[in-house]
Amino acid sequence: MRKLLLIVTGGIAAYKALELVRLATKAGYGVTAVLTKAGAQFVTPLSLQALTGSKVYQELFSLTDESEMGHIELSRAADLVVVAPATADILAKMTAGLADDLASTLLLATDKPVLVAPAMNVRMWEHAATQANMATLAKRGVLVVPPDEGPMACGEYGPGRLTEPPAILAAIKAFFADGPLKGLHAIVTSGPTHEPIDPVRYLANRSSGKQGHAIAAALAALGARVTLVSGPVNVRDPAGVRMVRVETAREMRDAVRAALPADIAVCAAAVADWRVEEAGQKIKKDGSGQPPALRLTENPDILAEISQPAPSRPRLVIGFAAETEKLAEHAAAKRARKGCDWLVANDVGGTGIMGGDENEILLLTPNGSEAWDKMDKTALARKLAARIGEFFA
Ligand code: C5P
């Protein structure tokens, strides 16, 4: 039986932890709960105990707890540590490495993977401190189930609500997914890049990130450990993947390099081929009627770079090609030019594919090309992930 160590911290969303325990035990997980002092203001140890069927741990220095099971032992016995809800306070403690109660000490001492489901007021969530903490935690490999957007108990509206327990359970399941990609690391790039023109303007494209994000989720569901490097998008972070957020092509290249080694790379991002050579002060109208000239310079080609023969080259590199004409011909040329193994080509010429919910592709592999029927981007992602699974079988 997979064992979860559930840390419940203080917030009005703590009541949802009870539902999470109910769903998780029903799904066959063993759950041991740790309740912080603040958490105990919102749910009682008794309810957690009744639902987990085991003792609830609250004190760092409790003689009985230490003799029965020390905090090191508590995390040693778990396969995954889940913090739900995770308050701004516990996230800050995790980032700083503070250990002043049982929950924070456990989180500092554990060598087990940690998944957090943040919940807090929208301003606290959007505060630069919390966002910086989230970025640091993600970099350290902490898995995040992002909060939902909606009305909050405090009367405000925005992102910060604890996501619903079924979504947290889905992230837990994705973590334990035992599929053909178990033990493999996949890097997926997704979304557009933003290339600054000046401090307020940028060059971008219509990529929504829907296809890349769906591929990341589908690979995770087959057991892969996934790093998703995403440009600015409005789609939800997929459950159970490590997120790295970037803006420019150069940041994306650096993030991809930092995430290596990997077994699989799927470059689904619509990376800007060009950036403005010198993005200086805000460009102003000077009254001369002469529009300013933008000098462009080439961006690094992430797909071509990662496809280069090198000891760190992923075994399977998949590129995307957004074309508006002569799909098969351009795609084949691109596959050769970039040096990737497979190429997913789609016609984006006025069909609403870029940014839309459906996709129709041509898959080029060393064995030839296949036209896939038009389908939902999620379905396409699952089909592609299954093919990747066959490749590694
Ligand atoms: O050359 P083009 O941009 O059409 O190639 C598309 C493919 O190359 C996509 O897989 C995209 O993710 C990747 N690409 C990249 N870095 C760039 C440009 C494109 O990884 N700078």
Side-chain angles (χ1 to χ4, degrees), residues 189-191 193 195 249-250 252-253 256 266-274 298-306 318-323 334 337-338 340 342-344:
T189 70
S190 183
T193 62
E195 309 295 333
R250 284 180 296 173
M252 187 172 274
R253 189 252 329 253
V256 167
V266 182
C267 293
V271 185
D273 292 327
W274 311 96
E298 204 164 343
N299 264 331
D301 191 319
I302 303 161
L303 175 61
E305 259 182 38
I306 206 172
I318 306 178
F320 274 65
E323 301 290 344
K334 186 165 291 179
R337 195 169 66 240
K338 303 259 185 181
C340 57
W342 297 2
L343 192 99
V344 177

Side-chain angles (χ1 to χ4, degrees), residues 151-170:
M152 320 199 75
C154 51
E156 293 188 71
Y157 187 97
R161 289 161 55 99
L162 181 70
T163 193
E164 294 306 318
I168 303 174
L169 184 65

Side-chain angles (χ1 to χ4, degrees), residues 87-166:
T87 56
D89 180 65
I90 195 79
L91 295 166
K93 280 183 180 162
M94 285 171 75
T95 310
L98 290 182
D100 64 354
D101 64 357
L102 179 58
S104 53
T105 305
L106 262 169
L107 286 160
L108 190 62
T110 190
D111 58 352
K112 294 300 165 67
V114 177
L115 182 144
V116 299
M120 66 199 72
N121 163 276
V122 52
R123 283 175 221 288
M124 294 168 77
W125 173 249
E126 285 174 349
H127 195 285
T130 305
Q131 288 305 310
N133 291 342
M134 293 312 298
T136 304
L137 293 174
K139 232 179 258 159
R140 290 184 196 151
V142 169
L143 300 166
V144 182
V145 193
D148 281 344
E149 193 170 317
M152 320 199 75
C154 51
E156 293 188 71
Y157 187 97
R161 289 161 55 99
L162 181 70
T163 193
E164 294 306 318

Side-chain angles (χ1 to χ4, degrees), residues 41-301:
Q41 301 289 322
F42 295 91
V43 291
T44 68
L46 205 57
S47 349
L48 272 172
Q49 188 177 313
L51 287 165
T52 58
S54 56
K55 180 177 161 62
V56 173
Y57 295 84
Q58 293 179 269
E59 299 294 335
L60 181 56
F61 300 114
S62 147
L63 277 181
T64 54
D65 286 3
E66 282 296 326
S67 56
E68 282 170 23
M69 194 184 244
H71 65 267
I72 301 289
E73 199 47 49
L74 258 182
S75 85
R76 203 172 277 158
D79 299 300
L80 176 69
V81 180
V82 179
V83 190
T87 56
D89 180 65
I90 195 79
L91 295 166
K93 280 183 180 162
M94 285 171 75
T95 310
L98 290 182
D100 64 354
D101 64 357
L102 179 58
S104 53
T105 305
L106 262 169
L107 286 160
L108 190 62
T110 190
D111 58 352
K112 294 300 165 67
V114 177
L115 182 144
V116 299
M120 66 199 72
N121 163 276
V122 52
R123 283 175 221 288
M124 294 168 77
W125 173 249
E126 285 174 349
H127 195 285
T130 305
Q131 288 305 310
N133 291 342
M134 293 312 298
T136 304
L137 293 174
K139 232 179 258 159
R140 290 184 196 151
V142 169
L143 300 166
V144 182
V145 193
D148 281 344
E149 193 170 317
M152 320 199 75
C154 51
E156 293 188 71
Y157 187 97
R161 289 161 55 99
L162 181 70
T163 193
E164 294 306 318
I168 303 174
L169 184 65
I172 294 170
K173 283 187 174 165
F175 172 79
F176 287 114
D178 206 3
L181 301 178
K182 182 105 201 151
L184 300 181
H185 178 212
I187 301 175
V188 180
T189 70
S190 183
T193 62
H194 285 184
E195 309 295 333
I197 294 171
D198 65 18
V200 295
R201 306 181 177 98
Y202 55 83
L203 294 174
N205 59 63
R206 293 184 194 281
S207 168
S208 63
K210 282 178 194 162
Q211 188 63 81
H213 278 53
I215 291 168
L219 293 173
L222 295 190
R225 180 166 64 82
V226 179
T227 303
L228 175 56
V229 182
S230 174
V233 295
N234 285 318
V235 287
R236 274 184 70 85
D237 296 350
V241 315
R242 187 170 83 88
M243 288 298 303
V244 184
R245 273 174 251 275
V246 298
E247 275 198 15
T248 66
R250 284 180 296 173
E251 288 169 8
M252 187 172 274
R253 189 252 329 253
D254 292 346
V256 167
R257 275 192 190 163
L260 287 168
D263 304 280
I264 306 159
V266 182
C267 293
V271 185
D273 292 327
W274 311 96
R275 67 171 183 276
V276 175
E277 198 167 57
E278 247 176 272
Q281 296 304 312
K282 186 177 173 218
I283 301 171
K284 291 197 180 303
K285 274 192 278 197
D286 62 7
S288 70
Q290 276 289 327
L294 293 182
R295 272 184 67 85
L296 300 182
T297 183
E298 204 164 343
N299 264 331
D301 191 319

